Amino acid sequence: MGVTKHLDFDIETKAIGGICKALGHPTRIQIMTLLWKKNNRTCGEIVELIPLAQSTISKHLLELKKANLVIIKNEGKRVVYSVEVDNIQLLKKYLSSYLSTIEVPEKNKSTVLTTKHKTSSINGRLKQYNYKFPDKNKTAL
């Protein structure tokens, strides 16, 4: 068995990863959009707008809660969901400023970006896997 290399990313990078993972499902993006337009919705109100089973919406809300993207408040017997704005601001900050300004120094990379392959040599190796069936036309007759 090979050894898995584990990288230690900073807290903010891990938080962004968790947020993106949670938002990696279209239903969860729809839920967040609904809550962004109008906070303090119950699961039932969300189900009225997204025609999926209540249990399915509940599971998606739980995933959003785990990623700290929604806040859950109990109001009597009602459970009310709203956007956790701080984490949305963190994502906004990352997307608007970091992606345009961040520079990863080539020499000091410790991520998957460290590759020693040249694309031309990869393409050359892949060519040997293009199978040819020279006798195909002859056997079909």
Side-chain angles (χ1 to χ4, degrees), residues 39-122:
N39 254 335
N40 302 311
R41 294 185 195 254
T42 64
C43 184
E45 289 172 319
I46 294 168
V47 170
E48 284 176 23
L49 296 160
I50 303 174
L52 293 170
Q54 182 145 352
S55 60
T56 303
I57 297 294
S58 290
K59 285 177 189 169
H60 285 301
L61 283 164
L62 183 64
E63 288 301 311
L64 292 169
K65 170 65 181 143
K66 282 185 199 170
N68 296 315
L69 287 171
V70 295
I71 300 166
I72 298 174
K73 284 184 268 177
N74 292 302
E75 295 181 0
K77 290 184 180 181
R78 290 167 24 114
V79 179
V80 177
Y81 299 88
S82 57
V83 173
E84 170 53 88
V85 179
D86 289 350
N87 271 342
I88 297 298
Q89 292 297 348
L90 180 68
L91 181 63
K92 182 183 176 186
K93 177 183 162 193
Y94 174 73
L95 292 174
S96 61
S97 78
Y98 288 1
L99 288 180
S100 62
T101 61
I102 195 165
E103 283 188 32
V104 180
E106 289 289 320
K107 287 179 272 181
N108 304 326
K109 290 184 293 189
S110 62
T111 66
V112 290
L113 296 173
T114 52
T115 177
K116 292 182 175 72
H117 299 299
K118 291 178 185 163
T119 50
S120 59
S121 66
I122 289 173

Side-chain angles (χ1 to χ4, degrees), residues 2-62:
V3 178
T4 304
K5 187 175 181 181
H6 186 77
L7 301 172
D8 284 325
F9 294 106
D10 61 85
I11 293 165
E12 195 171 77
T13 301
K14 286 179 183 174
I16 296 292
I19 290 167
C20 291
K21 187 176 179 184
L23 291 174
H25 193 287
T27 301
R28 292 196 280 270
I29 293 172
Q30 280 190 314
I31 291 169
M32 290 303 294
T33 303
L34 289 176
L35 292 175
W36 195 255
K37 288 178 179 175
K38 179 180 171 280
N39 254 335
N40 302 311
R41 294 185 195 254
T42 64
C43 184
E45 289 172 319
I46 294 168
V47 170
E48 284 176 23
L49 296 160
I50 303 174
L52 293 170
Q54 182 145 352
S55 60
T56 303
I57 297 294
S58 290
K59 285 177 189 169
H60 285 301
L61 283 164
L62 183 64

